[in-house]
Amino acid sequence: MSAPIEAGAAAAPASVTVLAGPTAVGKGTVSASIRARYPQIWLSVSATTRLPRRGEVDGVHYHFVSEDEFTRLVETDQMLEWAVVHGRHRYGTPRAPVIRAVEEGHPVLLEIDLAGARQVRETLPEARFVFLAPPDWDTLVSRLLGRGTETAEERERRLATARVELAAESEFDVTIVNDRVERATDELAALLGVHDLT
Ligand code: 5GP
């Protein structure tokens, strides 16, 4: 088992890093970029009850599981954290592979939602918590509202959620601004103590 990170050892790479942030800030894009460019980082593969999208591979992007299987994983305490995301599907981090990766000495990254990050804060307080922030409010709004096809009510609901999510920044140890994916990826990798091999 790698040594626990002492309080105040901010410069030392923590064994587990949690990446969270508001909806549509680009967490998925940054973690895809990490996966492609920094294979030294062990990226947790979440379980989810949603169906795969085109191009998603079971066991690589997610473990796609049934509702019953997800319930079994939760009830047998196999999830480090889990949450219902966007009021629809359940997503969770299987605990055993994370522990194994830490024991093997890999820098571990969890890309999860805010509710999940708060649970990890309780169960794994020595983890490092990174908030991925938009460069500014207008950028987040345009990413959130996309093609502008939503109703006024839906639009207001998404903006209200975004305001609440942005306010969570103060709960985190570090903020990375997602102004450019490549740059944000490099900053995150450096935080994990990993450098580009290319
Ligand atoms: P998507 O369905 O677009 O791949 O992901 C939707 C959301 O689920 C993203 O905000 C992502 O951070 C979150 N998510 C993915 N995996 C997990 C997980 O294991 N736990 C939690 N709490 N959220 C997750």
Side-chain angles (χ1 to χ4, degrees):
M1 185 90 173
S2 58
I5 303 295
E6 287 170 25
S15 14
V16 175
T17 301
V18 174
L19 179 69
T23 308
V25 75
K27 293 187 300 284
T29 316
V30 169
S31 63
S33 166
I34 284 274
R35 189 195 308 280
R37 294 182 45 212
Y38 294 97
Q40 319 91 299
I41 296 173
W42 190 89
L43 197 56
S44 167
V45 181
S46 300
T48 180
T49 56
R50 83 153 163 76
L51 294 174
R53 298 189 187 118
R54 182 188 291 268
E56 285 183 335
V57 178
D58 188 34
V60 175
H61 299 97
Y62 283 105
H63 298 290
F64 296 99
V65 300
S66 65
E67 294 289 347
D68 284 353
E69 175 63 3
F70 200 100
T71 301
R72 192 188 67 79
L73 291 170
V74 171
E75 286 178 352
T76 53
D77 201 27
Q78 293 187 59
M79 290 301 201
L80 183 63
E81 61 74 35
W82 70 274
V84 176
V85 179
H86 303 322
R88 298 186 62 192
H89 301 292
R90 289 184 287 173
Y91 296 78
T93 305
R95 184 195 307 273
V98 170
I99 291 171
R100 205 176 313 125
V102 169
E103 284 174 351
E104 287 170 0
H106 300 292
V108 169
L109 181 65
L110 314 182
E111 184 258 294
I112 58 180
D113 82 330
L114 289 168
R118 289 184 180 122
Q119 290 170 47
V120 179
R121 170 76 82 195
E122 296 297 314
T123 53
L124 219 62
E126 70 274 24
R128 175 180 283 146
F129 294 84
V130 179
F131 189 82
L132 192 66
D136 51 58
W137 172 251
D138 289 347
T139 307
L140 186 66
V141 170
S142 62
R143 287 184 192 163
L144 204 54
L145 301 182
R147 288 172 296 169
T149 47
E150 49 291 282
T151 62
E153 195 186 343
E154 168 67 9
R155 193 184 147 87
E156 212 23 73
R157 198 178 60 80
R158 288 196 192 188
L159 295 181
T161 305
R163 275 183 216 107
V164 172
E165 290 178 340
L166 276 178
E169 181 179 350
S170 59
E171 297 170 31
F172 285 73
D173 304 320
V174 187
T175 293
I176 292 181
V177 176
N178 190 17
D179 46 1
R180 283 188 304 112
V181 173
E182 302 279 289
R183 201 207 57 74
T185 306
D186 288 342
E187 195 178 334
L188 181 59
L191 204 63
L192 279 129
V194 163
H195 300 281
D196 211 330
L197 296 175
T198 55

